Every structure is written in structure tokens, then in C-alpha cells.
Amino acid sequence: MTTIKPKDGFFIKVTCPGCGASLKLGADFFVIRCSYCDSVLRVKMPDMPPAYLARSRVDKRQVRFRVDRHLKKQGLPLTGSDIQFKRIYYPYWKVDASVLKIRSHTEERVIGYETEYAAEEVEVRVKTITSVAPYSATLAAGTDFRGIPPSIGVRGTTVTMVPFGKEILEDGFSSFSAISSRRQIWDKMSSQAVGIGRVTSIASHENLTQLFNPTFSVVYFPFFVVDSFSGPSYRRLIVDGLSGRVVADFDPLSESSDGSELPEEPPETGEGIDSDEEIEFGELGIEMHRCATCGVDLPDRQSWVYICRNCNSLNLLENTDMPVEQVLSCATDSNRSDQQFPFWSFKLSDTDAEALGPVLGGLYDSDHLVIPAFRMPLGEAMLRLAQRMSSALPRLDMHPVAGYNSTLNHVDVSLRDATRYISLFVHWARLTKTGKSDAVLADYQPQSAELIYAPFHPESYFYVDSALQSITFEKSLVG
Ligand SMILES: [Zn+2]
Ligand SMILES: [Zn+2]
């Protein structure tokens, strides 16, 4: 079985279209190789969020054992012959995003002069620190149901999930509808994240903590709803269907939310999937990772853009609304050990370019913003490189890429992600320059994009650009 270690404890099980073998996908799963038939496969993420189901791993007997142990510990009567089990799947939104923190402070430097008549000068500089870290969370997506935890967190043990569909529900299970929208969940999550990261804002020092760049999926998680009647005592217990842990224990007739005499009931078996409010899901696709023009296998090294080594045609693996106008590279002295590093170059609208020009300083002789498209930690170094490349762009001698060339590096950053980094970049640039910024990231919609390759060569600890000899970044950043 092909396995990639998942980053957050969630695996997705799919079938290889080449040989039918079972494959397990981890978090970073866009291109994989089947270990049975050696096919290189790629995962096509749908436009709508995909839904998965984590199958229950415990049976009634095990659940009852855990429930009795729990009741005993609480000094409550154990389950009797009158015990009822209901098995449910409850949906959670799983959101994988990035949390951005920008902190700014001012630094003063006093410059004294030798003559006693000149006043001291104080130079004030704004320093910013940008950090970006991955952020994952799960939040309940279904109708409120007492005892169901608001989050399933990130699991200690690995959870294997299968793509969700009504037909894969096991007998005896019912499922709740997913009714919270992505918007609602995102707002809730964003405000929580800001709460966690809040710092004291000192006058004139601007800080920002914000979630951005989310991807959404839904995880149907198994629970047992156990009603135990023992004489006058009526307890309801909610049991985690993976671990068998009792997650809630209460008297369902007390404090019922609507004051009714009857406890809340989960949906009937087989019910609950087709309500009007139901969120629509997309389907995860698995296909052969081949050139769309000539059909040869593409390299199994993940990239959003490939130039086929067989037919030289361009393969863009992303469906975006924005046209990719052309692929360009920069003329270079071939004696060097050059590597071509990819960047997304965005054309801003006249209005945006005009509005941003003064904030971004001398950057804009051009109306293009250039964002690195190779894997590099998102943060100061990346933003500084974006800034240098953006201002250098008009001076680079670019020409269309003729075809496959082994010096072209992989495109690790999707066009979609790079588009989102524009806002981050503008925010950072504004803060760095003025010490002030908006409380939230503004949204910029560039008009078109180009993929450009710029030549760099290694020099001790750095990569130095081979065209202007003026742009550098640390080698260690691209390890
Ligand atoms: Zn296979
Ligand atoms: Zn081809």
C-alpha cells in the first residue's frame, strides 16, 4: 500500500485507476506513485469541498463495556437490559489554512553631530516581523445535538477516511446533514484565531493576526448515542466511534434546550442526508499523471506546471479564472551553474497599480507584482524576494520559453495561492513603509498572470540572480 505520512493524523483511502489497488493519501497528496503498478497518479481536487467518512472501529459490545466503566466511575447505575444504541455520523468541517502574524514596532536611532549648534536628529524606523504557520481545525458542521463535541480536534492516532457517499453508510448508521456554510465556519474560525493570537496593541504599532488561504473538506465522524435506563435513572452517553471514549454523559430530560419532555433524537437510519439546507460536496478525482497533449507520463515530482519533455507542450494543472498569458524566461550566461526559479508575475489593474504605487515606493515602474512560485517558507524572506523581483522585472530581458529544459525548477506554489499572497504582500509592504495598515487583508484581483523563470546560481550561502547580480536569497530557504 502506498502511504505518505499525513501531517495531521488524517488519511484518505482511494483506489488506483491503473490497477485497482488501495492507496492512502496524506495531507500532501497531489501527485503520487502507485506502489503496485507504478502508475504516476494525480489527485484532482474538486471546486466544491470534498467530503470523507471515517468508519466506526468499535462495536456495540465494546461501547457498552466503555459505557459501564464510565458509569461505574461516576457512581451511577450500570446499563441494564433496557439499553438503546443509535449509530450516527456527524459532519465536521476540516479547515486547513495558514495563520499570518505581522508585528510591527518602531525603532529610534539618535544621530548626534559634532558641532554643538546642530540639534540631534532622531531617525524613526518601522520594523515588521512577518510569520506564517500552518493552521488546521475541525468544527461541527451539523445541526446542534447535545453531547456532540464542537470539534474532533486533530487526532492522536491516524484516522483513515474514505470519500463520502450515501451508499457507503453501513447498515444501522444514520447521518446528520452538514448545514453550516464555509462562510460561517470561516468567520467563526477567523475570530477564534485572532483571539488566540491577540497581542496588546500599543498606539501606532500595527499588528495583524489573520487566517488566510483556507481549504475546506467535510469529515463525517462516527458516534454512538447510548440511552441507558436503569430504574428511575435515564442517562444518555455519547461515545466516540473510533476510540470508544465516552465524550458526554447527561440526563437527556433535564435542561433540554427547547424545554420539551422528550430527549432530542438523532435522524432515523438512512435519513438526514438530503435536506434542503444540505451543503453540496465535490468529488475527489484520481487520474493518470500524463501530458494532456501526447500522453506520456509526467514526472512524479509535484509541480503545478509541467513542460512536457516529449512534446514540449505546457501542462497547467489548475483550473483558474485567470488566464496564464505566457511562460517566459530570462536570458542567461550559460557558463554558470544556473537554475531557473519560477515566479508568478501578476498584472495589476490600473486602479490597483495607481493606488499601491505610493505605498510600495520605487517598486512600480511596472504594474506587475512578482511572487515566488517555488517552495520557500512564507514569511519575511519570501516577501522581500517578491519585492526585489517586482522592482527588477522591467530590467529583466524576458523571452518565451521554447520547450522543456532541465534547468527549469518545479512550480510548488499554485497560481491560486500566489494570487492570495498578493494581499499579504501589499499588507506587509504598506506596514513596512508606513507603520500603518488596514485591519484586514484587502483582496486584489490581478488581471492576468505570467509564469516567469529567472536564473540564479549558488554562491556560498546564497542564490544570486545571474541576470542583474543583485537579487539574492538564502540557499537554506529552498533546501
Ligand atoms: Zn496501481
Ligand atoms: Zn507531451
Side-chain angles (χ1 to χ4, degrees):
M1 189 171 287
T2 300
T3 54
I4 304 164
K5 202 171 162 42
K7 284 187 197 133
D8 55 6
F10 290 91
F11 265 135
I12 299 156
K13 200 164 132 190
V14 294
T15 307
C16 168
C19 70
S22 187
L23 308 171
K24 273 185 171 185
L25 307 178
D28 197 11
F29 57 64
F30 138 28
V31 176
I32 52 164
R33 185 182 280 274
C34 174
S35 60
Y36 288 98
C37 68
D38 215 33
S39 301
V40 183
L41 309 168
R42 65 177 170 240
V43 179
K44 269 192 96 163
M45 294 306 286
D47 291 336
M48 301 300 291
Y52 308 106
L53 179 135
R55 287 207 191 281
S56 168
R57 280 191 205 147
V58 289
D59 59 24
K60 275 190 192 174
R61 196 184 52 79
Q62 290 162 313
V63 169
R64 184 166 193 170
F65 175 77
R66 297 294 288 261
V67 163
D68 276 336
R69 204 169 65 175
H70 173 86
L71 291 172
K72 192 174 172 191
K73 233 189 251 171
Q74 306 296 315
L76 292 163
L78 303 191
T79 57
S81 56
D82 200 1
I83 178 170
Q84 286 175 13
F85 295 90
K86 292 190 185 86
R87 289 174 287 192
I88 58 164
Y89 280 107
Y90 190 87
Y92 288 86
W93 278 111
K94 178 170 182 292
V95 184
D96 298 293
S98 299
V99 60
L100 160 72
K101 291 184 185 178
I102 298 182
R103 302 287 175 261
S104 79
H105 64 278
T106 47
E107 269 185 10
E108 289 187 358
R109 194 160 70 109
V110 179
I111 305 157
Y113 291 94
E114 294 209 352
T115 110
E116 57 186 289
Y117 303 107
E120 281 178 343
E121 249 180 51
V122 179
E123 189 186 68
V124 180
R125 285 174 155 204
V126 180
K127 294 267 184 182
T128 64
I129 299 164
T130 309
S131 70
V132 178
Y135 184 95
S136 288
T138 51
L139 276 180
T143 40
D144 283 343
F145 189 78
R146 191 171 171 197
I148 291 289
S151 166
I152 46 173
V154 172
R155 316 295 297 183
T157 52
T158 306
V159 178
T160 304
M161 308 184 294
V162 291
F164 177 77
K166 196 172 181 175
E167 67 289 350
I168 65 160
L169 284 184
E170 298 115 295
D171 283 347
F173 274 84
S174 63
S175 112
F176 279 76
S177 300
I179 54 160
S180 313
S181 72
R182 275 181 281 182
R183 185 74 258 164
Q184 289 165 329
I185 289 297
W186 185 237
D187 288 347
K188 193 168 171 184
M189 222 168 245
S190 298
S191 60
Q192 280 178 2
V194 171
I196 294 161
R198 183 168 292 142
V199 292
T200 332
S201 181
I202 308 155
S204 88
H205 295 180
E206 298 282 324
N207 293 303
L208 176 82
T209 299
Q210 193 172 346
L211 290 185
F212 75 109
N213 217 2
T215 55
F216 296 87
S217 55
V218 168
V219 175
Y220 279 87
F221 199 83
F223 290 100
F224 282 75
V225 178
V226 182
D227 286 330
S228 168
F229 306 90
S230 213
S233 161
Y234 175 15
R235 303 296 294 179
R236 172 169 283 179
L237 300 103
I238 310 286
V239 178
D240 178 321
L242 283 192
S243 66
R245 203 164 54 88
V246 175
V247 294
D249 159 26
F250 50 91
D251 174 355
L253 297 179
S254 74
E255 305 159 30
S256 64
S257 46
D258 51 2
S260 75
E261 298 287 299
L262 292 168
E264 283 180 285
E265 284 303 314
E268 290 297 314
T269 298
E271 217 185 56
I273 307 173
D274 300 312
S275 88
D276 292 343
E277 302 164 290
E278 181 77 10
I279 306 288
E280 239 185 287
F281 298 126
E283 212 170 304
L284 195 78
I286 307 272
E287 57 188 30
M288 295 294 189
H289 186 47
R290 291 176 176 160
C291 170
T293 308
C294 75
V296 303
D297 280 353
L298 293 171
D300 59 359
R301 167 65 162 83
Q302 186 152 314
S303 176
W304 289 98
V305 179
Y306 296 91
I307 295 172
C308 176
R309 67 168 73 210
N310 183 50
C311 73
N312 286 327
S313 70
L314 183 69
N315 284 268
L316 295 167
L317 298 191
E318 234 181 319
N319 294 322
T320 59
D321 299 334
M322 201 186 327
V324 176
E325 301 279 318
Q326 49 186 346
V327 180
L328 301 169
S329 72
C330 180
T332 166
D333 169 0
S334 58
N335 294 329
R336 283 210 189 81
S337 48
D338 278 341
Q339 280 183 57
Q340 299 277 348
F341 282 86
F343 295 83
W344 290 110
S345 171
F346 294 102
K347 180 164 183 343
L348 300 175
S349 71
D350 291 350
T351 331
D352 279 350
E354 207 172 296
L356 296 175
V359 180
L360 302 173
L363 200 59
Y364 293 115
D365 291 337
S366 98
D367 51 2
H368 281 70
L369 252 181
V370 179
I371 304 283
F374 51 95
R375 190 168 293 142
M376 174 176 212
L378 195 50
E380 295 279 311
M382 188 268 221
L383 295 167
R384 229 173 285 128
L385 180 60
Q387 189 168 41
R388 291 188 193 126
M389 280 299 294
S390 300
S391 53
L393 185 67
R395 290 184 286 148
L396 295 174
D397 177 19
M398 306 299 287
H399 51 85
V401 171
Y404 175 78
N405 167 344
S406 64
T407 64
L408 301 179
N409 278 0
H410 303 280
V411 179
D412 301 312
V413 178
S414 68
L415 180 58
R416 193 171 285 134
D417 281 351
T419 312
R420 289 170 176 143
Y421 297 160
I422 295 175
S423 309
L424 170 59
F425 175 81
V426 172
H427 194 93
W428 170 80
R430 184 173 277 153
L431 200 51
T432 307
K433 186 152 164 73
T434 66
K436 293 245 179 277
S437 199
D438 306 325
V440 291
L441 296 183
D443 205 12
Y444 294 96
Q445 287 306 321
Q447 294 186 317
S448 64
E450 284 168 350
L451 181 66
I452 62 172
Y453 289 93
F456 285 79
H457 60 273
E459 264 183 41
S460 65
Y461 296 110
F462 295 91
Y463 276 110
V464 179
D465 88 279
S466 306
L468 305 171
Q469 311 292 334
S470 67
I471 305 166
T472 60
F473 59 89
E474 278 181 54
K475 263 189 197 168
S476 61
L477 293 172
V478 292

